[in-house]
């Protein structure tokens, strides 16, 4: 796992303008909030066209997502956060705010294999109001290590109806 130090060291790639994809999946970032903040700063400062950032199953929690959200949503087209089961409705609220930003350029968001629940679905649906760039949001799959589904009931899914039926949004 590259941790805080490794994430901070990525700043050395700032001059690598041809980098289009960065896959940091399965690194343990559960204790790397500062490093995720450095990654976000790096994404915002670099002059390039990063298309895809994969942080699948990295142990990212609410605090880590809060540190990362602006850089990831404003400077990447594809963001994979699947399998980060420590993210709760609090972290999704921060992500939702970033999705509402006029500077959001995120087209694909993968939140699969996470326990989103009804509250998380409602928060994400609110974040899609007015978003004009997100094309795909993946919410499928069970939480890793369980046979449970993503725990969104019909009430949670109904939160997406107003957004999906509004042609001025996604």
């Amino acid at each position: 796992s590259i941790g805080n130090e490794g994430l901070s060291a990525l700043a050395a790639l700032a001059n690598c303008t041809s980098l289009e994809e960065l896959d940091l999946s399965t690194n343990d970032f559960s204790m790397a909030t500062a490093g995720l903040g450095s990654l976000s700063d790096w994404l915002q400062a670099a002059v390039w066209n990063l298309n895809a950032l994969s942080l699948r199953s990295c142990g990212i929690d609410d605090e880590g997502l809060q540190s990362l959200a602006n850089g990831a949503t404003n400077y990447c087209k594809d963001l994979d956060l699947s399998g980060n089961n420590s993210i709760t409705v609090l972290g999704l609220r921060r992500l939702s705010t970033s999705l509402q930003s006029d500077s959001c350029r995120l087209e694909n968001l993968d939140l699969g294999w996470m326990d989103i629940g009804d509250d998380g679905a409602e928060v994400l649906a609110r974040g899609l109001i007015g978003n004009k760039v997100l094309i795909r949001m993946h919410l499928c799959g069970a939480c890793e290590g369980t046979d449970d589904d993503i725990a969104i009931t019909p009430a949670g899914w109904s939160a997406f109806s107003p957004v999906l039926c509004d042609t001025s949004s996604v």
Side-chain angles (χ1 to χ4, degrees):
S1 179
I2 65 173
N4 277 321
E5 296 81 20
L7 286 170
S8 297
L10 285 175
L13 295 176
N15 293 328
C16 184
T17 58
S18 62
L19 185 64
E20 293 182 9
E21 294 183 25
L22 181 60
D23 187 346
L24 298 171
S25 296
T26 67
N27 278 285
D28 182 4
F29 296 146
S30 59
M31 303 297 286
T33 300
L36 290 168
S38 295
L39 177 60
S40 181
D41 293 344
W42 172 69
L43 288 169
Q44 295 175 62
V47 180
W48 57 8
N49 190 23
L50 185 67
N51 289 319
L53 175 61
S54 181
L55 297 167
R56 180 181 37 82
S57 298
C58 288
I60 297 171
D61 60 11
D62 293 335
E63 191 175 347
L65 184 56
Q66 182 173 354
S67 295
L68 179 68
N70 278 343
T73 59
N74 295 344
Y75 296 91
C76 298
K77 290 182 180 180
D78 299 316
L79 178 60
D80 183 354
L81 292 170
S82 63
N84 286 291
N85 299 327
S86 296
I87 295 173
T88 70
V89 70
L90 296 174
L92 294 174
R93 190 170 289 123
R94 180 65 180 113
L95 180 62
S96 178
T97 301
S98 295
L99 291 172
Q100 289 176 322
S101 168
D102 290 338
S103 57
C104 178
R105 90 181 256 255
L106 198 61
E107 295 177 4
N108 297 297
L109 176 60
D110 191 340
L111 298 173
W113 302 97
M114 294 170 57
D115 185 13
I116 301 292
D118 288 343
D119 292 338
E122 291 173 18
V123 165
L124 288 169
R126 281 193 301 269
L128 295 177
I129 295 171
N131 181 296
K132 304 244 188 284
V133 295
L134 192 69
I135 298 168
R136 177 183 164 269
M137 184 166 52
H138 180 82
L139 296 173
C140 297
C143 289
E144 288 185 30
T146 72
D147 292 328
D148 298 333
D149 59 20
I150 58 175
I152 300 176
T153 68
W157 288 118
S158 70
F160 289 101
S161 294
V163 177
L164 295 174
C165 295
D166 179 2
T167 58
S168 70
S169 287
V170 177

